[in-house]
Amino acid sequence: MLKKINKIPAGTMIIPLFAAAILNTFCPWLLRIGSYSKALVSDDGLRIMMLLTLLFTGTQMRFSDIPEALKRGGSHVLFKYLSGAGAYIIIFHYFGYKGILGTCSLAILCALTNNNGSLYMGLAQSYGDHADLVARPMFNLNSGPMLSLLTVGISGSSSISWEEYMTILIPLLVGILLSSIDKDIKEATKYGNALILPVMGFVLGASIDLSKIIAAGFSGIFLFIMVLLITGPVALIVDRVLLKRPGYGGMATVSVAGNTIAVPAMIGQIVPQFAPYVKLATVQISCAAVLSAILCPFIVQWFAKRYGCPKYEENFGKGRNNLAC
């Protein structure tokens, strides 16, 4: 069974995600039987998964990896945010809160300024190298309401405390320190993230209602297309031109995260003008997030096969590998 799942791009995360989404749509009570189940599929459960991902990422890092993590992850976060924020500002200027073609500005804002770091991690695990994996923590910077709030003119420091930044850095630094002290720890946790990804996919899927996604119709599809057309070319240029990489890593960042579904409600509480559009934005983002989970792995697979990747032979067998290293 595992061999069949591995044939699907990022399958170890995508399959559990859709299994949980189906259960949440038709029998949500089944995911919440007892305190353990409720804890697992809660926001706190997802945060624990994220913390463990950071910890195990750290155990596979060296202090000398940090500059490369900042270079790769930081470049993608910065330029994706700039392109997404710029597009939102233009759309909002001309179309206001209602947005364009039935897709409200709040949904556009959240989708374009956030990123699915978990999906990136799954794809980097399948196709990438060590530096791709250690770049993962940078994507926490545009996961949540912080950059979206900054885009609408509200200071991020007023809603995001310094403790939140520390929760990102501490498990990562602890992991680096532990593996530096004892190399056996690095070896023992080598497959830590590979084990966590299926659980993380399941937890993300437990918050998705497929019936609401179907109801979103064209507007949700249009939102996903906007993310591809606006941030996709930017991510590809950053990866191939600025970072001198093949492109698979850049395309792995072009997605809508499942946890972005919660961002409109957060913004609506802080910016009252957006409050009437929270429910609509939530449904549209849900649709775009599911489309991301389905289509982005195949897009990344195409770029990895066409332009090369570090794990080319493992995924595609012996043949041409145009990896630019």
Side-chain angles (χ1 to χ4, degrees):
M1 182 175 68
L2 187 59
K3 289 182 179 179
K4 292 181 179 179
I5 291 175
N6 284 332
K7 290 181 180 179
I8 301 171
T12 54
M13 189 183 74
I14 299 303
I15 298 300
L17 185 150
F18 279 103
I22 291 170
L23 289 173
N24 188 57
T25 301
F26 296 102
C27 46
W29 57 268
L30 195 60
L31 295 174
R32 296 162 179 84
I33 297 176
S35 57
Y36 288 167
S37 298
K38 291 178 181 178
L40 176 64
V41 300
S42 68
D43 289 340
D44 287 337
L46 179 59
R47 292 188 185 102
I48 292 295
M49 294 298 106
M50 296 295 290
L51 183 144
L52 291 174
T53 298
L54 290 170
L55 178 64
F56 290 139
T57 298
T59 61
Q60 303 307 304
M61 288 179 67
R62 302 175 296 269
F63 283 104
S64 58
D65 292 328
I66 294 176
E68 187 66 22
L70 292 171
K71 178 182 176 183
R72 290 199 192 185
S75 296
H76 285 303
V77 168
L78 175 63
F79 285 100
K80 175 171 183 175
Y81 169 71
L82 291 177
S83 61
Y88 160 76
I89 290 170
I90 292 172
I91 291 171
F92 184 80
H93 177 75
Y94 287 103
F95 300 99
Y97 293 99
K98 291 185 178 180
I100 183 172
L101 295 179
T103 306
C104 66
S105 292
L106 179 58
I108 294 170
L109 166 67
C110 298
L112 290 179
T113 57
N114 277 266
N115 183 80
N116 193 337
S118 300
L119 182 59
Y120 170 87
M121 188 68 179
L123 293 168
Q125 193 85 30
S126 298
Y127 303 107
D129 57 15
H130 179 71
D132 289 320
L133 294 174
V134 300
R136 165 65 180 87
M138 295 301 301
F139 295 108
N140 287 310
L141 295 175
N142 66 340
S143 179
M146 181 177 65
L147 295 184
S148 299
L149 287 170
L150 287 175
T151 308
V152 294
I154 297 178
S155 172
S157 60
S158 64
S159 58
I160 307 296
S161 66
W162 64 270
E163 289 96 339
E164 293 297 327
Y165 294 99
M166 294 304 296
T167 60
I168 295 172
L169 292 175
I170 287 176
L172 185 69
L173 293 175
V174 168
I176 296 174
L177 183 61
L178 288 174
S179 62
S180 299
I181 294 172
D182 188 345
K183 292 182 179 179
D184 288 339
I185 293 177
K186 180 177 182 179
E187 186 62 28
T189 58
K190 183 177 181 180
Y191 300 104
N193 278 327
L195 295 173
I196 287 174
L197 284 174
V199 182
M200 183 180 292
F202 189 87
V203 174
L204 288 170
S207 65
I208 295 174
D209 187 334
L210 296 177
S211 63
K212 292 182 179 179
I213 290 165
I214 295 172
F218 173 77
S219 60
I221 297 172
F222 179 67
L223 179 62
F224 175 67
I225 293 172
M226 286 186 66
V227 172
L228 283 181
L229 295 181
I230 293 172
T231 66
V234 173
L236 191 59
I237 291 171
V238 169
D239 209 42
R240 292 186 62 83
V241 177
L242 182 62
L243 300 177
K244 308 297 182 185
R245 301 291 298 167
Y248 69 90
M251 297 311 296
T253 70
V254 183
S255 59
V256 179
N259 57 359
T260 306
I261 296 169
V263 175
M266 298 178 189
I267 294 178
Q269 293 174 355
I270 298 171
V271 187
Q273 294 88 337
F274 280 117
Y277 300 92
V278 167
K279 290 185 178 180
L280 177 61
T282 301
V283 172
Q284 291 172 344
I285 290 171
S286 297
C287 180
V290 169
L291 288 174
S292 290
I294 296 172
L295 298 178
C296 285
F298 290 98
I299 295 172
V300 173
Q301 183 188 52
W302 186 89
F303 275 91
K305 188 173 184 178
R306 175 67 177 83
Y307 297 106
C309 65
K311 295 183 179 179
Y312 189 91
E313 289 189 11
E314 183 179 324
N315 286 280
F316 309 112
K318 292 183 179 180
R320 186 177 64 177
N321 186 354
N322 299 322
L323 178 61
C325 292

